[in-house]
Amino acid sequence: MSRKSVPGCFSRMIWKKHFFKETCCRCGAPDTEIQNEELEKRGKVKKRKKKNENKRVIISNLPFGSKKWKENPNRYYDSNKIKTTKYTILTFLPKNIYEQFHRFANIYFVVIALLNFVPVVNAFQPEVSVIPICIIMAITAIKDAWEDFWRYKLDKEINHMGCYIYSREERAYVEKCWKDVRVGDFVQLQCNETIPADILLLYSSDQNGICHLETANLDGETNLKQRQVVMGFSSQNTLFEPEFFQNTIICEIPNNDLNKFKGYMEQPNHERIGFNIESLLLRGCTIRNTEAAIGIVIYAGHETKAMLNNNGPRYKRSKIERRMNTDIFLCVGLLFVMCLVGAVGHGIWTESFSEHPPYDVPDENGNFLSPILTGFYMFLTMIILLQVLIPISLYVSIELVKLGQVFLIHNDIDLYDEEADLPIQCRALNITEDLGQIQYIFSDKTGTLTENKMVFRRCTVDGIEFSHQENARRLETHKELDLDDEDFAKLQHFTLPPMNIERPATYKQRTMRPLRRCQSARAHFQGHTRNRSLGRCDSNQSQVAFSSTIEKDVTPDSRLLRCVREAALQTENLSPFIHMKTSTSLTDFFLALAICNTVLVSTATEPRQRVTVPPPIKPSGITLEKIHQIFQRLKLASLSQSFSSSQSSSDLGTSFSAKNTEEHLAALDCCDNDDCCASSGGDELQGKGSTDIGSASLDEVFKSVTNSSLPTDFCYEAESPDEAALVYAAQAYSFTLVSRTPEQVTVRLPQGTLLTFDILYTLGFDSVRKRMSVVVRHPLTKEIVVYTKGADSVIMDLLEDSAKADISAEKRMKRIKEKTQKHLDYYARDGLRTLCIAKKVLNEDDFQKWANFRREAEAAIDNRDELLMETAQHLETKLTLLGATGIEDRLQDRVPDTIAALREAGIQIWVLTGDKQETAVNIAYSCKLLNQRDTVFTVNTENKETCESVLNLTLEEVRKNYEVEKPRRKIFGIIPTSFSASEAPSPEFGLVIDGRTLNVIFQGGLEEKFLALTKHCRSVLCCRSTPLQKSMVVKLVRRQLKVMTLSIGDGANDVSMIQAADVGIGISGQEGMQAVMASDFAISRFKHLKKLLLVHGHWCYARLAKMVIYFFYKNVNYVSLLFWYQFFCGFSGSTMIDYWQMIFFNLFFTSMPPLLFGVLDRDFSAETLLGLPELYKKGQNSEIYKLSTFIITMLDAFYQSLICFFVPYLTYEDSDIDVFSFGNPINTISLLTILLHQALEMKTWTLFHVVTMTGSVVFYLVFSLIYNAACVVCNPPTNPYWIMEKQLADPTFYLLCLITPAIALLPRFFIFALRGTFGPSLILKAQQLDKLPKGQQDLEIQKLRSRKQTTTGASVASPASNDDLDQNISHLCVSPFLHPAAAAVSHGDTESQGLSASEVNPLRKRTPEGGYYFFNRWAEEEGTATDSSAGPFSGHYPLVPSRVTNPGQDGGKQTKDSANNFNHGSHRRSVSAVTL
């Protein structure tokens, strides 16, 4: 058997049929058989005892072999054989029956069937009563068996995969099956092989002890991960020898945490070596770029982390199912009443005889049963007779309908993502109808509303901002298309100035073809055929994460490019690096971008082959001495030129959307240009002249160096898109990351020099520190430098105290910090993700002390994580700020439209994100989550009393405004729109709250006030929130407001939120598959949520709700016929309908139409539902299926049964017709009435519907004819022989079949007609629209929408001019406790317009909490509108400058008109944005 190398997901592998036989023969080694027998014989007590220990001890299996296996302590651990099946051939029947008895209805029907075997109470033939329950349980059992069979096949496929295990007898690695791998075995793995168990890495063919993994099978991430050989084994120069391994491994017991693992290895000399998750190879991952790796098995089979995470589809009870269970109990109560009436009636009827009737036979003693006992027996008989009142087939029908609904959702071509080749996944099969009842949506931001494709947009270095206008223009016109290189060059030529193509510094991948994502993962459509790409499975063409064209190509800012080249000149002149102000900062800034990461380097031609050795530099034709001379000659010319032209082409503020940003940043930087490109002598850059000579010469130099230095392009694989974006940005400025090993990283500088830094330590990013650092030794200065990047909220607090420096340095550091903070705030308001870059130089002594501390922490067993955290925090202090970056995470396609439609549908949308507040607010405006008219309350406080008072004050004012709006609507005669059950709020308020405030709310018992406020808010944004806080918010809303909730996210930090909601949706995006694995449904784009909810959700709810209520109606209608008959047969429990026809009535005659109705019925077309989202409220309010509709339907069923019984009764009264001849017309009429009732409910008629409806009637007639003709003595003493044949020859029968259903259905039909005549609702209008031609239908929908928007607009705002809108709405603008940094920004903003803070807001005052308090009331007190000039100020000066335009649409441009209007009171968003 050849070794199987499996590049992709092992669950998709296709193996030859003979492989199973061949493998089984060869992997059944003698020692394995003995081990397996021992496993089966061992007691469960010992196993439990082992599992209960808090640690696991593992030794090598080699000393024990097959003879001493019983002495091996590893024998208590699970084998690697997996079994996901529930049943075996022997256990299937008893186990499946036992599981089906967990359903109450099944127990009920079995008890009833058994009761019918008791002679005293039986209602009809005992054998007949067992048939319905047996058929229902048999259908369920077949379904379960089929699912289990497929699990068995997959288990067999995986268990018989091959791997190499070291054999002591053969002293070599021999091939065995996965199922024969044991804890303590040594396994050899090769490139592209799937890992069979959780293995501790002891040897790698890589010289640095590195093994690369692809974890796509585990978490969906395609970027490679590094795993490191356990410390102490990495320095081996020879091949690892398993027989010499004598260490004992102590680690934690099996758990499902994929990101944590700790333990230690104890050597024979009692020395301990610690290890963590970085040394563990997880089952299901694939070895990449490593020829061979050897390790010892730690966890096997079901104890592996992958298997512990594999919980399969989750079972949830839907809202309809919960409602249905309540109604079943109501039916049980109804059944009890009917049986009680029958029992009492029978007792009364028996007592009415003066002497016992002939059929009342005494017992052997001559005693007759007492009337009470007779009544009790009759009670039980009536239960048997009327048992069909409880719909036995309802449960299995619902399961079949939901499978059909899931099939239709899964195959909807609109929910298929062609680029990613991903359809929608329905992981929970039993809550499809909940999609149609959602009232609250909780969404993540990054990767859910946005692309999670990080694009480098701007940066600030040493307090100087570089706007990257050329890059912004490129991104505006850029479409990520599958272009040829020539086409892309033309596009570049069209978009950018010609010099940008010729300049080598305008970096662009020249050989993008092997790297482009669309070629490896994009499916090609032909019609509706889906061709699945093999991109993720093919190791040679595997897609590279975060490497799309839009992410890789960065057009440099011309001004910054000039500064970088000047810095390179100084470096070449004055090497080693001198401590120039800006040249060093620029160089350090881009070096930090290039090396402060964990990015893996590969070539474009071989994207999976790691570059660990710097490529040889080709002779450039121009020496460094020549470069040096050219720079010297050009130096004077360069310094005498003005950079006005380049500066004007990248005007600093124009790409900001905020209206005052342009002037402000331009003013900021006009005095800083001398710092940016200062010479070593500090000469000022003055004068105006041409830069053509200097520019051309510099370009010539850099072009010559760049084009000849490196022969290849590089491909970067990062663990996060932010890292990749920064590395590509550094590459655009010719700071190219060339190679990386665990010990060294090589960077090519702009002048062509290769610098190889020694990596001393890498402190990875974590959510607590919110930063990462790399400690390197500089190759030129030999200094030890710490480069750190992280969140600005953290880095700014770790900077060196400027007071300790000299006066000039103190001023400079303070200026840089202030300007950088200001730039960061502008970035955040522009919707950019911000990162700060900093450095620190260590002396040798300090570093050695810290390194010793770090080594002790790494070797520690107890509190290891805490010690490592402490060492990292100790190092990352007293940093020097280099600059900051702004990265754009672009909105996904059609997100604003989706959110607007969901909002129209009455759904409340909250965003729960860990991102910065300003960024989240900006994205909220961009995606129409917040409106320009909204008053936005921002609450940031850590004090409980403050939080409570703010919530009270805000809530009081919001309620006052809410009440003021109501009479205004009546005055203008506006009919209020129908609100959903979640109390649709007034659309004038938004709430922004941060994680600290959420903590105060949860810990201080302020949840009710918080919820009361949010109910009146249009949208709620929770920023800087942790995963735990996200889930707490979801649970709070779901439990306190009793609403249906949906959570949607794409990352591991969203898992708890997804699991806390009624419906969880995962987005299979760039952050892996953790969210998908925890979700009920998985989609690839946020825009798919619109059709999933508004169309499929509505359909699923409407279909299932109608089907469930129809089942109740059908059974009550039919059972009532038997109940009415009891009044004419002395409550004896006899029937006028044959037993077989009674049983077949539910099982066959009326079973198919409801199933087809539940799967295919459409009350509205998809176009109408998308065009009129308000129709979704029908499901939100549970209008189709609720207690009132249930009761009305039951009353209608009783009425119809009365008509179906008494019309034939009155027709045949005083005739000599026999019992079955009387019952047969009733049965037929009832069947026709029930089917016609469903025909009235159906909104869609297809060929399937017509066939099933007519087929049911035909099948009934054919069955009756055959049964009545063949059954001579089937049901003694009565005889159904030739009944139907006689009836079909009687004209009265046909007359009854025509008249009776019409009378029975007349009230329902009459009500339907009245609904359409008087006050037609939106639902009826929509149904009429569906019948119109497509063009006319679209026109009518637009009219309806425009009419609704006019109505809504009139009800929300008074009919005044737009300019006075802000003054016409009553606002309380309360702003407690701004963050000091934000307060400083606000202060600076007002001053930048020539106004002091007190002039802008005379009511501002300092609060003891350390923030600012704003209290501004616009015009209109007590509902009385006044002139806008009457207030303290009229809103001309915003408190916080904000942008108006959407970043996804505007791309950074700002028109002159809007800029000019900024100071004229038209900026509603700023006026209404209130910070608390």
Side-chain angles (χ1 to χ4, degrees), residues 165-328:
I165 302 173
Y166 190 82
S167 170
R168 187 179 183 184
E169 288 77 13
E170 300 187 29
R171 295 185 179 276
Y173 290 93
V174 297
E175 190 166 10
K176 292 185 180 180
C177 296
W178 274 28
K179 66 186 180 71
D180 297 317
V181 175
R182 308 281 312 154
V183 172
D185 281 346
F186 291 93
V187 179
Q188 185 187 61
L189 303 164
Q190 294 182 358
C191 190
N192 295 335
E193 185 177 356
T194 306
I195 301 166
D198 289 353
I199 295 171
L200 190 67
L201 186 61
L202 300 177
Y203 170 81
S204 172
S205 57
D206 184 274
Q207 60 181 359
N208 300 297
I210 294 293
C211 176
H212 295 100
L213 292 183
E214 185 181 88
T215 59
N217 293 339
L218 207 59
D219 57 17
E221 296 183 18
T222 54
N223 52 307
L224 296 190
K225 310 290 194 305
Q226 285 187 356
R227 291 295 179 262
Q228 178 79 46
V229 168
V230 175
M231 196 184 304
F233 289 83
S234 55
S235 58
Q236 295 177 164
N237 296 322
T238 58
L239 192 65
F240 176 76
E241 292 291 344
E243 293 195 33
F244 297 149
F245 184 86
Q246 298 179 345
N247 299 349
T248 302
I249 297 169
I250 293 92
C251 64
E252 60 191 15
I253 58 173
N255 60 70
N256 63 352
D257 194 335
L258 294 170
N259 301 311
K260 285 185 181 179
F261 171 71
K262 61 181 179 181
Y264 61 90
M265 194 179 291
E266 191 169 307
Q267 299 178 347
N269 60 2
H270 300 295
E271 184 180 342
R272 292 182 175 183
I273 301 171
F275 51 75
N276 58 12
I277 192 69
E278 295 299 319
S279 300
L280 190 67
L281 309 180
L282 297 179
R283 176 190 173 110
C285 299
T286 307
I287 301 290
R288 299 288 191 205
N289 302 330
T290 308
E291 291 181 11
I294 298 173
I296 186 171
V297 177
I298 301 293
Y299 307 125
H302 290 279
E303 293 182 335
T304 58
K305 290 182 178 288
M307 292 300 294
L308 289 172
N309 274 279
N310 184 17
N311 297 322
R314 298 164 30 194
Y315 184 83
K316 287 184 176 179
R317 288 175 60 205
S318 67
K319 189 176 181 181
I320 282 187
E321 196 174 335
R322 296 195 295 270
R323 169 80 254 169
M324 190 178 74
N325 289 340
T326 306
D327 290 342
I328 282 178

Side-chain angles (χ1 to χ4, degrees), residues 89 266 274 330 338 380 610 767 873 976 1238:
I89 294 175
E266 191 169 307
L330 291 177
M338 283 181 164
L380 297 178
R610 291 297 136 253
S767 56
Q873 292 173 341
Q1238 178 151 34

Side-chain angles (χ1 to χ4, degrees), residues 331-343 379 1123:
C331 285
V332 170
L334 182 61
L335 176 65
F336 181 82
V337 171
M338 283 181 164
C339 294
L340 194 62
V341 170
F379 181 85
F1123 180 68

Side-chain angles (χ1 to χ4, degrees), residues 1305-1320:
L1305 295 171
L1306 190 61
R1308 179 167 285 267
F1309 187 78
F1310 182 67
I1311 290 170
F1312 283 171
L1314 282 180
R1315 277 185 191 168
T1317 307
F1318 299 105

Side-chain angles (χ1 to χ4, degrees), residues 829-894:
R829 289 186 196 125
D830 206 31
L832 303 182
R833 293 164 64 90
T834 55
L835 278 177
C836 279
I837 314 296
K839 67 171 280 192
K840 176 182 181 179
V841 178
L842 288 175
N843 59 46
E844 285 288 342
D845 293 340
D846 290 341
F847 173 71
Q848 288 302 330
K849 290 177 184 176
W850 179 85
N852 292 334
F853 187 19
R854 182 74 179 182
R855 278 193 289 271
E856 290 175 9
E858 288 174 344
I861 306 302
D862 300 324
N863 302 323
R864 184 171 184 270
D865 294 338
E866 291 81 357
L867 289 172
L868 288 174
M869 181 72 68
E870 188 180 339
T871 58
Q873 292 173 341
H874 187 267
L875 180 71
E876 295 162 335
T877 54
K878 299 181 180 178
L879 303 174
T880 301
L881 184 64
L882 297 175
T885 59
I887 297 174
E888 181 182 11
D889 186 7
R890 308 182 71 147
L891 274 182
Q892 285 187 25
D893 184 32
R894 288 165 52 192

Side-chain angles (χ1 to χ4, degrees), residues 47 51 56 78-85 155 159 196 198 254-255 283 299-310:
K47 185 175 178 180
K51 285 190 174 181
R56 166 170 285 200
D78 279 5
S79 71
N80 202 43
K81 182 177 180 179
I82 64 165
K83 180 176 176 288
T84 59
T85 56
D155 289 348
N159 286 331
D198 289 353
N255 60 70
R283 176 190 173 110
Y299 307 125
H302 290 279
E303 293 182 335
T304 58
K305 290 182 178 288
M307 292 300 294
L308 289 172
N309 274 279
N310 184 17

Side-chain angles (χ1 to χ4, degrees), residues 414-427:
D414 293 334
L415 301 182
Y416 170 71
D417 185 8
E418 184 182 357
E419 181 184 352
D421 188 25
L422 288 172
I424 183 174
Q425 298 176 43
C426 303
R427 296 172 54 82

Side-chain angles (χ1 to χ4, degrees), residues 416-650:
Y416 170 71
D417 185 8
E418 184 182 357
E419 181 184 352
D421 188 25
L422 288 172
I424 183 174
Q425 298 176 43
C426 303
R427 296 172 54 82
L429 306 180
N430 53 338
I431 57 169
T432 51
E433 67 274 22
D434 280 350
L435 292 171
Q437 299 175 276
I438 300 301
Q439 294 160 291
Y440 276 75
I441 290 179
F442 300 92
S443 174
D444 180 36
K445 183 184 75 67
T446 306
T448 303
L449 300 177
T450 59
E451 290 273 9
N452 206 15
K453 286 185 179 178
M454 305 303 175
V455 182
F456 183 84
R457 286 300 304 269
R458 311 172 76 100
C459 68
T460 172
V461 186
D462 256 12
I464 303 151
E465 209 279 337
F466 300 96
S467 60
H468 288 73
Q469 277 300 287
E470 298 93 335
N471 200 40
R473 284 197 293 272
R474 177 184 70 85
L475 293 172
E476 281 177 30
T477 57
H478 187 282
K479 302 288 182 188
E480 193 176 354
L481 302 172
D482 192 5
L483 299 174
D484 291 333
D485 292 342
E486 297 82 12
D487 295 334
F488 190 81
K490 290 176 186 175
L491 180 64
Q492 285 282 78
H493 186 82
F494 175 77
T495 308
L496 305 175
M499 64 176 182
N500 285 337
I501 293 179
E502 296 175 3
R503 283 186 183 179
T506 305
Y507 188 84
K508 184 172 76 71
Q509 294 281 358
R510 298 287 178 187
T511 56
M512 285 178 292
R513 193 173 296 277
L515 299 179
R516 224 175 278 160
R517 181 173 302 184
C518 49
Q519 292 187 357
S520 62
R522 180 173 291 178
H524 300 283
F525 261 135
Q526 295 177 351
H528 281 177
T529 305
R530 205 182 283 160
N531 296 324
R532 187 170 291 280
S533 167
L534 298 175
R536 294 194 177 197
C537 298
D538 185 1
S539 61
N540 294 326
Q541 295 180 354
S542 182
Q543 103 180 28
V544 177
F546 322 127
S547 62
S548 63
T549 309
I550 197 170
E551 293 170 292
K552 290 189 301 180
D553 299 340
V554 178
T555 307
D557 182 273
S558 54
R559 197 161 55 97
L560 180 56
L561 188 64
R562 178 72 52 183
C563 298
V564 168
R565 291 176 174 177
E566 285 295 320
L569 169 66
Q570 295 166 2
T571 302
E572 195 63 40
N573 270 339
L574 303 163
S575 199
F577 286 6
I578 63 164
H579 291 283
M580 295 298 301
K581 283 191 297 181
T582 309
S583 64
T584 306
S585 294
L586 276 172
T587 307
D588 278 332
F589 178 79
F590 284 108
L591 281 176
L593 295 189
I595 67 177
C596 187
N597 50 59
T598 57
V599 170
L600 303 177
V601 187
S602 59
T603 60
T605 52
E606 297 180 357
R608 285 302 196 193
Q609 214 48 47
R610 291 297 136 253
V611 177
T612 56
V613 180
I617 300 180
K618 292 182 180 178
S620 63
I622 179 170
T623 62
L624 290 178
E625 289 78 5
K626 181 69 174 174
I627 299 171
H628 184 274
Q629 292 171 10
I630 293 174
F631 271 133
Q632 290 286 66
R633 288 203 307 272
L634 296 175
K635 191 172 181 181
L636 291 174
S638 300
L639 295 179
S640 64
Q641 306 302 325
S642 167
F643 299 117
S644 58
S645 61
S646 64
Q647 186 175 344
S648 64
S649 69
S650 62

